[in-house]
Amino acid sequence: MTEWLERHVPKMVLAPSFVAVLIFVYGFIIWTGWVSLTRSKLMPKYEIKGVIQYERLFASPRWDTAMDNLFIFGGLFIGISLILGLFLAILLDQKIRAEGVLRTIYLYPMALSMIVTGTAWKWIMNPGLGIEATVRNWGFESFTFNWITDPKMAIYAVVIAAVWQASGFVMALFLAGLRSVDEEIIKAAQVDGIPTWRIYSAIIIPSMAPIFLSAFIVLAHLAIKSFDLVIALTGGGPGYATDLPATYMYAMAFSRGDIGQAASSAMVMMGVVFTIVVPYLYSELRAKHD
Amino acid sequence: MTDFTQSYTAPRRSFGQLALRWLLFTLLGLFALFYLMPLFVMVTTSLKSLEEIRTGSLVALPRDVTFEAWSTAWSGTCTGVKCEGLRPYFWNSVLMTVPAVFLATLLGAVNGYVIAQWRFKGANLIFAMMLFGCFIPFQVVLLPMARSLGILGLAGSIPGLIFVHVIYGIGFTTLFFRNYYVTIPAELTKAAKVDGAGFFRIFWSIFLPLSLPIVVVTVIWQFTNIWNDFLFGVSFSQAGTQPVTVALNNIVNSTTGVKEYNVDMAAAIIAALPTLLVYVVAGKYFIRGLTAGSVKG
């Protein structure tokens, strides 16, 4: 008996967590997927009616805006964060004495809640009292910076705040990558008289391809899940101008009482995440095995 | 010959290098300003009177420093109907975060120990399934979780929030500990088994004492994530049990009354203070958590 117990104790210890994951991740995904195929409104119904919710979703102009915004926001946020992060990492890699302090300054936004970030930037970009007013006070009377209240530009205001928050993290990733490049190769290149910018562009940066990939995955994941920042910065407005899939889903679930729409939009979000993450995760686990 | 020309061009190059160096420092300084500016603006705005905010400049230092906005934010400002400031919500966050971090870390440690050191058939599949759970957009579990919390009698309560954060924290914490324990040679466990030590004994006397670094990384990671969470907080709380992030958003985006920007900023800093403090004190471990977390997303 004790021997049996001894042999099975590891499994029994792991079991509660595994069951929890089975129910609260996989079971819940199935539940949401199921409900997305029904006509649920205020209360969930379990009678499958086909893909009507998805038809409604893709016919909805608000969802259209949300998906467009996701691609604009995601593309710019990921692109700018990657470029800025790499640039900062290279600057910091030049044997700077104050590196520790600067790194701390560049990275601290990542420790903040996106609600805090949104609150701060909402105030800074406030047209009446923020940057716009300040620059006008300096004598540039016609200066305008009202992105946050301009339906066409508001999504770019979200990009600014998001880049501010996450670019330091990309910097930290790249800096770690730069430090792990083989010193000998760099020294050999220097001895050969190859200029520094060529060493970076031809040797160091190509060797960091895996880091580009991880940074991309993390940023893409952040972008798709972005919810707090939009809520705090623009509340999805003006109108629906800065709606993202996450805010659409939340509005349907908790203020519109349209569970069918909430479920189908959540499933589409998951589809987007998985097309990005699953190949990556697969290759990660593969690589660990070999 | 080459030596000769090189020493000849050396002074010119070092002048160029000096100029580059200056450019480098200027750029680094400008970026530092970019990252610091919002914090600076938040702090200065929180120390100004509303009058000064309306007439003065965003980037100016306060003329008359006043802490009134801070005390209003802490114990007087209105979130919805109640006007008791951020204080009760701050404590809600503490009550939610501390047990959730503790439980998720504990479970992660034991799970990671099993997966890394007590391999059995299917353990890797289980690990992959748990890892996969880290990546899902939480929107996909919001609706069924809201119903389940209702069934469990935990709807709108702090224990309910703790439960949710523990469940969705297990994936990360297991990953952290598994990756740490996998580097400890399996011979150690084998030798201890030969000596008659059991599963828990080995964990308690061998693995736990070795775990301090990864415990710190995991605790900081979980603490930051749970304290800063908004989605679960806003979805599964009700008036009175909201965490501080939700209360902050309610204060800032309430549309009634005069907009008190100084109070908004003080409230934002109060909500950010715990995680900021952790970052300043243990930044090294925070970064380690982030980069370890980057494998998972």
Side-chain angles (χ1 to χ4, degrees), chain A residues 79-242:
Chain A
I80 298 172
S81 297
L82 281 178
I83 294 168
L84 190 60
L86 179 63
F87 185 61
L88 288 174
I90 291 176
L91 290 187
L92 269 186
D93 194 34
Q94 306 307 313
K95 303 192 171 63
I96 309 291
R97 203 170 299 164
E99 187 197 309
V101 178
L102 287 168
R103 217 174 41 200
T104 308
I105 292 172
Y106 295 166
L107 191 61
Y108 86 89
M110 201 65 189
L112 303 180
S113 152
M114 284 194 180
I115 299 291
V116 173
T117 303
T119 304
W121 282 95
K122 186 184 181 149
W123 166 236
I124 292 165
M125 296 197 267
N126 178 321
L129 293 162
I131 292 182
E132 183 179 288
T134 305
V135 176
R136 282 187 184 177
N137 271 346
W138 288 343
F140 304 95
E141 297 290 338
S142 60
F143 179 82
T144 37
F145 183 63
N146 57 354
W147 288 10
I148 205 163
T149 52
D150 177 351
K152 282 210 184 67
M153 300 305 286
I155 192 70
Y156 301 102
V158 182
V159 172
I160 294 179
V163 166
W164 177 80
Q165 178 145 42
S167 48
F169 160 64
V170 183
M171 178 276 300
L173 272 185
F174 278 128
L175 196 59
L178 288 173
R179 296 284 150 81
S180 66
V181 175
D182 191 354
E183 288 266 344
E184 294 301 313
I185 301 175
I186 298 169
K187 273 195 194 129
Q190 278 166 343
V191 170
D192 286 349
I194 296 169
T196 311
W197 68 270
R198 278 290 294 164
I199 296 180
Y200 272 105
S201 65
I203 300 171
I204 298 177
I205 293 174
S207 77
M208 292 202 300
I211 295 176
F212 269 99
L213 188 63
S214 337
F216 172 81
I217 296 287
V218 177
L219 293 171
H221 198 233
L222 272 178
I224 294 159
K225 296 213 292 192
S226 277
F227 172 71
D228 339 16
L229 188 60
V230 171
I231 294 288
L233 193 61
T234 63
Y240 302 137
T242 50

Side-chain angles (χ1 to χ4, degrees), chain B residues 171-192:
Chain B
F172 291 112
T173 56
T174 302
L175 171 74
F176 283 178
F177 279 97
R178 181 261 180 199
N179 285 356
Y180 186 78
Y181 288 151
V182 103
T183 61
I184 296 173
E187 282 71 30
L188 208 59
T189 311
K190 269 185 205 144

